[in-house]
Amino acid sequence: MSHQHSHAGQANETADCAIRLHNLTLTYHRHPVVHHVSGSFQAGELTAIVGPNGAGKSTLLKAIVGLMQPNHGQIDLLGIDRRELAYLPQQAAIERDFPLAVQDVVLLGDWRHSGWFGRVSRTARQRADAALERVGLAGFGKRSVDELSAGQFQRVLFARLLLQDARVILLDEPFTALDARTTADLLALVAGWRREGRTVIAVLHDFEQVRAHFPQTLLLAKECVAWGATAQVLNAANIARSNGMPQSWDDNAPICHRDESIAPVEHVHDHSALHH
Ligand SMILES: Nc1ncnc2c1ncn2[C@@H]1O[C@H](COP(=O)(O)OP(=O)(O)OP(=O)(O)O)[C@@H](O)[C@H]1O
């Protein structure tokens, strides 16, 4: 089965790529959870990362933002500074059991302008209020985050992303456990980011949502199963194949011994012979 990569021609690899993965392997306790993945995320495009539980999707996002180092291979940010990346972890990983005001949480998105401990300007507060209005939470600024519902809190975190004004936005399961209305409102913001030319990479589980809103998809099951136009990637054969890949938590999961020299970037990969 071939790795479907819709990039055609040199222009895509240079001008239109935001982030390129070269033979990337990420491991926990020597067991690879992302294994020899190569390819690129298109600039100014919405890319979904999908795959079964434990497929390495969150781990890949963490490595892109620099929270963990590649064991082998590399991640190239093309013309992008790490500070221009915004990252929204899974909501389950975010502590919000503290009485911080909504406006202060949103203002954390402004740290590039104000510095972590800088004085917050009146304009920054106005921008925070405007961002809250855009996510449907006008007037919520003085409330405490520990009083919000899960959906309201996710809106607050999107307001913070609006303030952060990042060129590349990485979202880990941003719509999980949200109702249809909240999901639709936040998806509209994501569509707006695309119109503004931002690059969005989101880990998602709902294939219908991906088909409707994300033109590009990386199907990951530790290895790259397919990467390219969503309609081609999310076909029955690829999905069945991703569900049949060995899980990294198996005790029998292989340890990576392969020669780790960085392979040249390929536009089309043949994954019919899986390697370890
Ligand atoms: N901090 C860690 N230490 C050890 N193993 C970890 C750690 N974090 C994740 N793993 C393991 O790495 C593998 C990939 O996890 P990851 O969270 O990247 O998967 P995922 O594709 O995001 O899964 P899900 O869809 O369930 O969120 C899993 O087998 C997981 O148990």
Side-chain angles (χ1 to χ4, degrees), residues 28-29 33 51-60 90 173 205 248-249:
Y28 288 115
H29 313 299
V33 299
N53 289 135
K57 305 178 297 295
S58 299
T59 304
L60 176 57
Q90 280 183 34
E173 299 193 28
H205 279 286
S248 54
W249 62 78

Side-chain angles (χ1 to χ4, degrees), residues 117-148:
F117 303 105
R119 261 176 64 86
V120 176
S121 65
R122 220 174 85 207
T123 22
R125 287 197 188 281
Q126 282 165 352
R127 293 203 300 129
D129 287 343
L132 282 170
E133 200 171 331
R134 276 187 67 192
V135 300
L137 291 181
F140 270 66
K142 298 276 185 289
R143 293 242 207 142
S144 177
V145 288
D146 59 0
E147 293 168 13
L148 302 182

Side-chain angles (χ1 to χ4, degrees), residues 37-99:
V37 174
S38 294
S40 30
F41 292 97
Q42 285 187 18
E45 190 51 280
L46 310 181
T47 302
I49 304 179
V50 300
N53 289 135
K57 305 178 297 295
S58 299
T59 304
L60 176 57
L61 287 196
K62 284 179 191 156
I64 292 171
V65 286
L67 293 174
M68 73 185 274
Q69 295 303 311
N71 297 79
H72 307 290
Q74 66 190 65
I75 300 169
D76 291 334
L77 305 181
L78 303 171
I80 300 161
D81 191 284
R82 269 238 151 82
R83 284 172 300 182
E84 295 174 299
L85 302 180
Y87 167 55
L88 184 59
Q90 280 183 34
Q91 207 181 102
I94 301 172
E95 189 64 58
R96 67 180 183 102
D97 199 14
F98 47 80

Side-chain angles (χ1 to χ4, degrees), residues 35-252:
H35 204 201
H36 302 303
V37 174
S38 294
S40 30
F41 292 97
Q42 285 187 18
E45 190 51 280
L46 310 181
T47 302
I49 304 179
V50 300
N53 289 135
K57 305 178 297 295
S58 299
T59 304
L60 176 57
L61 287 196
K62 284 179 191 156
I64 292 171
V65 286
L67 293 174
M68 73 185 274
Q69 295 303 311
N71 297 79
H72 307 290
Q74 66 190 65
I75 300 169
D76 291 334
L77 305 181
L78 303 171
I80 300 161
D81 191 284
R82 269 238 151 82
R83 284 172 300 182
E84 295 174 299
L85 302 180
Y87 167 55
L88 184 59
Q90 280 183 34
Q91 207 181 102
I94 301 172
E95 189 64 58
R96 67 180 183 102
D97 199 14
F98 47 80
L100 202 57
V102 164
Q103 193 187 55
D104 292 331
V105 172
V106 176
L107 280 165
L108 287 174
D110 194 51
W111 65 271
R112 274 203 294 153
H113 298 113
S114 55
W116 282 107
F117 303 105
R119 261 176 64 86
V120 176
S121 65
R122 220 174 85 207
T123 22
R125 287 197 188 281
Q126 282 165 352
R127 293 203 300 129
D129 287 343
L132 282 170
E133 200 171 331
R134 276 187 67 192
V135 300
L137 291 181
F140 270 66
K142 298 276 185 289
R143 293 242 207 142
S144 177
V145 288
D146 59 0
E147 293 168 13
L148 302 182
S149 73
Q152 288 167 337
F153 185 57
Q154 195 71 338
R155 287 175 188 266
V156 169
L157 296 177
F158 267 70
R160 189 175 73 178
L161 289 172
L162 288 171
L163 224 68
Q164 208 169 334
D165 196 23
R167 285 174 61 198
V168 179
I169 300 165
L170 306 162
L171 307 169
D172 198 345
E173 299 193 28
F175 312 123
T176 299
L178 301 186
D179 67 18
R181 168 81 192 278
T182 306
T183 302
D185 287 354
L186 298 183
L187 274 167
L189 288 175
V190 171
W193 287 333
R194 185 187 187 208
R195 285 193 297 275
E196 292 164 3
R198 298 180 210 268
T199 304
V200 179
I201 301 169
V203 174
L204 297 168
H205 279 286
D206 180 339
F207 287 173
E208 287 320 306
Q209 189 178 71
V210 172
R211 287 190 180 100
H213 301 283
F214 286 74
Q216 291 277 310
T217 295
L218 162 57
L219 178 55
L220 188 69
K222 189 168 75 171
E223 318 233 353
C224 172
V225 177
W227 192 348
T230 296
Q232 270 110 59
V233 168
L234 289 185
N235 64 38
N238 285 337
I239 293 167
R241 188 158 165 265
S242 70
N243 288 327
M245 304 282 265
Q247 306 283 12
S248 54
W249 62 78
D250 284 354
D251 283 342
N252 297 329

